[in-house]
Amino acid sequence: ETGVTQTPRHLVMGMTNKKSLKCEQHLGHNAMYWYKQSAKKPLELMFVYNFKEQTENNSVPSRFSPECPNSSHLFLHLHTLQPEDSALYLCASSQEVGPDTQYFGPGTRLTVL
Amino acid sequence: DAKTTQPPSMDCAEGRAANLPCNHSTISGNEYVYWYRQIHSQGPQYIIHGLKNNETNEMASLIITEDRKSSTLILPHATLRDTAVYYCIVRVPLGGATNKLIFGTGTLLAVQP
C-alpha cells in the first residue's frame, strides 16, 4: 500500500460511453499526476496538478478530461474513446517540499471495445 | 524521449546480488536519478534516488559515478519476489512543486531459483 488508491481497478467501456477514473491520495501531498501505460510502451505523463491547478498537459486528446477538486482527489473523465486508448492508467502524487518522490497507485486497467 | 538507457533484461540467481546498470550521459546538474520497479500490471514502486552521492536504504543501494553519467542499482540478496521491470529515471523539475519522471523501457530482472 502506497497511500494512493484508484478505482475502479478494471473498466471495460464502449466507444460511445462516458466513464470516470478516480484517484485518492492519503499522504497529504499537493501534486497529483496521471500517466498512461500502453502495452509494450513506456509510461507517458498525461497531466500534472499542483495545488488543484493544472500545470502540465502533455498534448493529450480532449476525449480525456482531468479534474482535481482538491489536493487529495483526482479524476480522469473519459468520453468517446478509441480502442487504442486501452491501457493501464496510473495516478501518482508527490509533496511540495522536502522529498518530493512520486508515489503511484495500483492503476486502472481500461479496455475500450 | 527517455534520458536513460538500460539493458532490456538480466538474470540473477536467488540469494545473489543483482547489479542493474543505467547510463544517463545527458543528465543535468539539478536532475536526480530515481529507480522504480514494476511488477506485472501493478503501479511502479519507488526504490531509491540520488543526486551525486551513493545512497542506501532497506531495499537497495545506489552507486552513482563521479561524473554522474551512469549509475548502478544493487539489490544485495535477490529473491523471487524481486522479479520485475526496473526503471532508471531522470527526474526533471517542472517548476513549482512538481516534477516529471521520464520513463524508458527498463530492465526486466528475472530472479532464478
Side-chain angles (χ1 to χ4, degrees):
Chain A
E1 285 293 328
T2 62
V4 181
T5 59
Q6 291 187 243
T7 54
R9 295 294 308 277
H10 301 271
L11 178 63
V12 179
M13 60 187 289
M15 289 190 286
T16 58
N17 292 156
K18 291 184 180 181
K19 296 287 184 183
S20 295
L21 309 185
K22 178 182 176 182
C23 175
E24 183 173 1
Q25 58 93 3
H26 311 272
L27 302 168
H29 290 170
N30 302 115
M32 298 188 77
Y33 310 75
W34 279 117
Y35 288 83
K36 174 184 178 182
Q37 188 174 30
S38 303
K40 306 208 184 290
K41 291 177 67 176
L43 275 81
E44 305 169 63
L45 180 65
M46 300 175 72
F47 301 104
V48 180
Y49 276 83
N50 181 21
F51 285 100
K52 305 186 296 178
E53 298 296 322
Q54 187 181 129
T55 59
E56 185 93 355
N57 177 337
N58 249 18
S59 303
V60 180
S62 59
R63 57 186 184 269
F64 295 91
S65 175
E67 178 190 2
C68 189
N70 55 61
S71 293
S72 299
H73 294 85
L74 184 65
F75 295 90
L76 188 63
H77 304 299
L78 316 171
H79 63 97
T80 59
L81 294 192
Q82 305 298 312
E84 58 265 29
D85 296 321
S86 298
L88 182 67
Y89 288 85
L90 291 154
C91 172
S93 70
S94 66
Q95 66 181 33
E96 178 190 11
V97 295
D100 52 356
T101 299
Q102 289 186 32
Y103 291 92
F104 285 81
T108 295
R109 173 68 62 186
L110 174 67
T111 303
V112 182
L113 301 177
Chain B
D1 289 344
K3 301 185 73 170
T4 60
T5 55
Q6 301 175 253
S9 63
M10 291 181 64
D11 288 344
C12 177
E14 189 177 18
R16 305 296 292 270
N19 296 278
L20 292 93
C22 178
N23 288 321
H24 31 80
S25 57
T26 62
I27 194 169
S28 299
N30 64 344
E31 293 175 343
Y32 282 74
V33 177
Y34 272 70
W35 284 81
Y36 283 77
R37 71 181 183 185
Q38 187 175 26
I39 297 170
H40 182 62
S41 291
Q42 298 182 21
Q45 177 190 20
Y46 166 75
I47 301 173
I48 199 168
H49 73 279
L51 184 62
K52 54 183 179 180
N53 297 323
N54 297 338
E55 302 288 345
T56 295
N57 64 21
E58 64 278 3
M59 289 184 69
S61 295
L62 174 60
I63 309 298
I64 302 175
T65 58
E66 194 167 339
D67 63 8
R68 301 213 323 125
K69 292 185 176 181
S70 65
S71 60
T72 301
L73 178 74
I74 301 172
L75 306 179
H77 306 287
T79 71
L80 298 178
R81 288 183 295 179
D82 292 323
T83 293
V85 177
Y86 286 77
Y87 295 101
C88 170
I89 298 158
V90 169
R91 192 199 74 179
V92 177
L94 291 174
T98 57
N99 55 80
K100 184 174 184 175
L101 298 177
I102 304 176
F103 282 81
T105 52
T107 296
L108 174 59
L109 175 68
V111 180
Q112 310 291 343

